[in-house]
Structure formats: C-alpha cells, structure tokens
Amino acid sequence: MMNKDDWYIDRILWRANQHNLFDKSCVKYSELDNSCVAAIDDAISGIEKPVLVFWDSEKKWTVLCALHIYSFFDGQLVSSDLDEIDKSVSVVSTDGLSEDIKKSADILSLDKLNKSVWAPAGSELFALMSILQMFPLRLKNTA
C-alpha cells in the first residue's frame, strides 16, 4: 500500500508523462540544476517532497510537490495545499483575445482560493492545469 505522499507523486508523474512534459521545459526536481535548486531553497524554507519544476528564471518558476504547489512570479511567492484546489482551476487571459489564450496565457487561477500560479504558455500551462484538476485525489489505494 502507498501512503498519501507516494500516491500523489505517482499520479503527478503519471499525468506529466501523459503530457510529455519532460520533453519540454518541465524538469523533475531531482534533475534540476544546482543554481535553480538554490533559488528555490532561498524562497521556500523546508520544501517537502518536490516533484516537478516549471522554470523560466530565478524570478519566475513553479514547483509542484507531493502535497503543495509553490509559484514565484511578479516578486511574490504563492503557495497552496493541493487538496484545497478542489479541482477548480482556470486559465487567466491577460489579453482578452480568446483565440490566443492557448498560446499566450501563462497564469492559472486556483479559483476557490483566489490565488494564481505561473506556468510556461502553451501546452505546459494546460498540462499543469490538467494535473491540478486531479486534486484532491481519492485515497482508496493508499494506507
């Protein structure tokens, strides 16, 4: 039997593989460059079980952990418990042109929490949205 953390990590990696995220700019935290890890550690003390990282720069990144998400952009760190997302995630359009949203949007709204997270525009944003919409997961297969 899996514990909750392991179950969530398994599902995150499964969905990331479905979306071919590792062929894009998404990286497993364990494979991240040391300078990137240092920047994340500076912003988040005691990060627990990081899994995926969407990286743009030291000033713009998102880390998906076993039970939390952290996103740093516009000089602020946003965090949330994955279970609090409650499957309610939407794309934030900044330009108002719906036909360009798939190419230009790089912000997801965690609707029930009134918080936003950054991801690279395009397929990676929609892949992260798909991952976040899984939570909370049913725990029937966990200990």
Side-chain angles (χ1 to χ4, degrees):
M1 290 233 184
M2 293 178 144
N3 65 28
K4 181 177 180 177
D5 292 0
D6 292 339
W7 174 239
Y8 273 39
I9 290 168
D10 179 74
R11 296 292 82 198
I12 289 167
L13 292 173
W14 171 75
R15 185 63 59 94
N17 281 318
Q18 276 191 319
H19 289 281
N20 300 312
L21 276 176
F22 303 118
D23 297 339
K24 300 174 175 102
S25 68
C26 181
V27 185
K28 291 180 183 175
Y29 185 87
S30 61
E31 298 171 1
L32 199 58
D33 179 89
N34 287 340
S35 63
C36 299
V37 169
I40 292 167
D41 286 345
D42 283 346
I44 308 166
S45 60
I47 189 169
E48 293 185 26
K49 299 191 179 184
V51 181
L52 302 180
V53 178
F54 295 87
W55 184 267
D56 179 76
S57 69
E58 289 184 7
K59 297 180 188 246
K60 192 185 292 184
W61 46 263
T62 295
V63 179
L64 187 58
C65 299
L67 301 177
H68 297 87
I69 187 168
Y70 300 92
S71 190
F72 187 79
F73 63 102
D74 292 340
Q76 295 191 351
L77 180 67
V78 176
S79 65
S80 174
D81 182 315
L82 293 181
D83 286 343
E84 292 176 357
I85 293 171
D86 199 20
K87 304 185 186 302
S88 186
V89 181
S90 61
V91 177
V92 175
S93 175
T94 54
D95 61 16
L97 301 173
S98 62
E99 63 269 10
D100 291 333
I101 198 167
K102 289 183 179 180
K103 296 178 187 169
S104 65
D106 65 355
I107 302 293
L108 291 173
S109 172
L110 308 179
D111 297 326
K112 294 189 176 180
L113 303 173
N114 199 26
K115 295 181 179 182
S116 298
V117 296
W118 171 86
S123 62
E124 290 163 290
L125 178 91
F126 289 93
L128 179 58
M129 181 176 176
S130 173
I131 291 168
L132 295 177
Q133 287 175 328
M134 294 189 307
F135 298 103
L137 289 171
R138 288 192 357 228
L139 299 176
K140 71 176 187 174
N141 295 333
T142 63

